[in-house]
Amino acid sequence: MTRAAAHLREIRALCQGRVLEQPLLCKYSSFRIGGPADVIAEPRTRNGLIQLVQFLKAEAIPYVVIGRGTNVLFHDAGFRGVVVRTRGLGYWGLSPNGSQFGLFTVEAGVSLPFLVTQACKRGFGGLEDLWGIPGSLGGAVKTNAGAGRTSVGEHLRDVTILTSDGQVQHIEQEELCFGYRFVNLPAGSLVLEARMRLTRESPEIIHTRLRAAKFRRRSSQPRGIPSAGCVFKNPASDLSAGAMIDRLGLKGLRVGDAQVSEIHGNFIVNRGQARARDVLELIEIIRSRVEEQEHVSLSLEIQVIGEEGAR
Ligand code: EPU
């Protein structure tokens, strides 16, 4: 048996979930862009994920962990190594926390839209502004995803992570020091689970806030077309990258099938057959125009994954 075949056999044994060879990454990205990976692996349990990651490290096999692929750009050449998806970590539960609060325990692979819906349905408020943000809870915690005045971090009670040296660690809210698209997690760590404390509120209040959030998102962001959400971080709390790109007249600018959204300047949409290299070229054009004319340097919010894509 070759070394590669032995690795694959071990990956399958540890994973106990779906393992595919040569998957096209465009199928696993909301951008619908990306070439093949060597392997994609979806561990079915938390232990499977931990053991798989430990094995990949021990064997020095390149790997990357993703949630639902909603904030990533896979390179056209794909990824030489294993793409690990957390989708199988789908447990969630709700327990009372005094008469006024509910404690949601949520594994990394649970979808954020599902969690928002469950919280609202069960009469717990606080997450309504996050309606419409796609992706997994793990990814949302790692990037402190947010919208309006809410971000995931402010509702967290604690987070369970796998550290880069393979230890499972609990981190309390006080230590997480959340900021704009930032959380203080040890470098190279992986979110396994989070606990969120939400407040019981009247269904009418929740419904009103939810309706407002849906309206805001539907009227200001592109829908029904592949994208990875906002491409750039906002340079400052009172400076929207989208608004700057709009002011410079860059909406609608196109490289191949990659286009700056005509609805929101910080979205790049895939009009059909966009390649990563089109998106990256568009990103460079936007960056240099913003740098030249506004003297602001934009940094990426999306993660570029793959051979020539790392930055
Ligand atoms: N604006 C424009 N033109 C545009 C886009 C925005 O003039 O093309 C103006 C808006 O009219 C508004 C202001 O800029 O006056 C702010 O716009 P918006 O409310 O859309 O906020 P944003 O700062 O551009 C952030 C997040 C979004 C999140 C929205 C809503 C970042 C990078 N983006 O965008 O998050 O949905 O607020 O709360 O922080 C994402 O992270 O993927 C994302 C889309």
Side-chain angles (χ1 to χ4, degrees):
M1 187 186 292
T2 64
R3 196 169 148 77
H7 281 159
L8 191 63
R9 197 165 75 167
E10 188 61 18
I11 290 169
R12 285 191 197 284
L14 294 171
C15 227
Q16 290 174 24
R18 196 158 69 133
V19 175
L20 299 174
E21 287 179 83
Q22 296 297 312
L24 278 180
L25 292 173
C26 55
K27 294 187 182 162
Y28 301 91
S29 145
S30 59
F31 237 146
R32 296 283 171 264
I33 294 173
D38 291 342
V39 173
I40 201 160
E42 297 176 359
R44 217 168 42 192
T45 63
R46 185 187 312 197
N47 267 344
L49 177 74
I50 294 172
Q51 286 177 27
L52 174 64
V53 167
Q54 285 169 342
F55 169 74
L56 296 171
K57 269 185 201 298
E59 294 294 316
I61 300 170
Y63 72 93
V64 61
V65 181
I66 64 164
R68 297 194 171 227
T70 55
N71 205 29
V72 298
L73 174 64
F74 290 120
H75 204 271
D76 302 313
F79 181 73
R80 301 288 67 78
V82 180
V83 175
V84 181
R85 293 177 87 210
T86 59
R87 204 183 165 87
L89 274 68
Y91 169 82
W92 74 280
L94 167 63
S95 51
N97 191 242
S99 58
Q100 255 195 300
F101 301 103
L103 197 60
F104 286 74
T105 302
V106 193
E107 277 194 326
V110 171
S111 103
L112 186 60
F114 173 83
L115 177 64
V116 172
T117 305
Q118 288 303 323
C120 291
K121 260 192 192 165
R122 283 154 207 269
F124 291 96
L127 300 184
E128 302 83 279
D129 273 357
L130 304 182
W131 183 88
I133 300 183
S136 65
L137 194 271
V141 170
K142 248 200 129 166
T143 56
N144 192 19
R149 273 154 294 163
T150 308
S151 68
V152 169
E154 70 205 57
H155 301 285
L156 284 176
R157 168 121 164 221
D158 51 47
V159 175
T160 307
I161 59 164
L162 181 67
T163 62
S164 59
D165 57 356
Q167 306 299 310
V168 175
Q169 232 181 59
H170 298 282
I171 306 196
E172 296 295 322
Q173 195 218 19
E174 308 79 69
E175 300 165 64
L176 291 167
C177 308
F178 279 95
Y180 171 67
R181 300 295 187 268
F182 169 82
V183 56
N184 184 30
L185 289 175
S189 60
L190 173 63
V191 173
L192 297 172
E193 183 182 282
R195 290 198 303 166
M196 296 181 108
R197 197 169 87 138
L198 300 179
T199 312
R200 198 176 276 289
E201 287 190 275
S202 88
E204 293 74 28
I205 290 177
I206 291 176
H207 182 69
T208 304
R209 284 204 298 252
L210 195 57
R211 212 174 41 199
K214 286 181 182 179
F215 175 78
R216 274 197 304 274
R217 186 164 281 265
R218 285 177 175 151
S219 56
S220 65
Q221 296 182 4
R223 283 158 34 88
I225 182 159
S227 83
C230 281
V231 171
F232 302 102
K233 291 181 184 166
N234 283 344
S237 57
D238 57 351
L239 201 53
S240 154
M244 289 173 79
I245 294 165
D246 188 0
R247 260 201 315 276
L248 294 176
L250 299 175
K251 275 179 167 173
L253 185 69
R254 197 162 168 159
V255 174
D257 268 354
Q259 186 182 35
V260 179
S261 164
E262 282 157 334
I263 299 168
H264 194 294
N266 201 1
F267 280 65
I268 291 179
V269 294
N270 177 358
R271 290 253 157 236
Q273 304 297 319
R275 295 162 305 171
R277 89 157 98 115
D278 303 327
V279 175
L280 292 169
E281 195 179 324
L282 201 47
I283 284 173
E284 284 319 314
I285 296 172
I286 296 168
R287 266 181 164 161
S288 55
R289 291 284 291 276
V290 170
E291 186 111 38
E292 273 162 29
Q293 297 185 30
E294 306 271 335
H295 311 290
V296 169
S297 159
L298 290 179
S299 51
L300 285 183
E301 176 169 305
I302 57 171
Q303 192 189 353
V304 181
I305 299 175
E307 299 320 298
E308 297 136 69
R311 56 176 57 226

